[in-house]
Amino acid sequence: MSGRVTSASLPAPPIAPEPENCCRRGCSPCIFDYYQAAFDKWEDKIRALGLSPEDVLASTGATRASRPPLSSL
């Protein structure tokens, strides 16, 4: 078995929650906090493979999600 890293052998980035899954009331933790923690772990795994998380995202067409703005309720 080869030690070569291929796109098929890379861990997939976490799937971002849909903006409507966030209530926008400033909950702690928010669903986006859990996503951020998972994304940070994913980045660490990619860096441990000697790759750039930004390059891997760009090559797969994936993006990093942002927390929706808080509502004014």
Side-chain angles (χ1 to χ4, degrees):
M1 179 179 217
S2 169
R4 185 173 173 204
V5 176
T6 64
S7 60
S9 66
L10 291 175
I15 298 171
E18 296 294 326
E20 57 269 10
N21 294 131
C22 174
C23 69
R24 295 173 179 83
R25 293 184 182 157
C27 300
S28 183
C30 171
I31 191 168
F32 280 88
D33 293 327
Y34 292 110
Y35 167 74
Q36 181 63 48
F39 200 92
D40 290 346
K41 283 184 173 182
W42 175 83
E43 285 182 318
D44 290 344
K45 289 177 185 177
I46 296 299
R47 285 189 185 103
L49 294 170
L51 302 171
S52 161
E54 294 80 14
D55 291 345
V56 172
L57 284 177
S59 72
T60 63
T63 59
R64 182 180 202 146
S66 300
R67 180 189 307 260
L70 297 178
S71 70
S72 57
L73 296 176

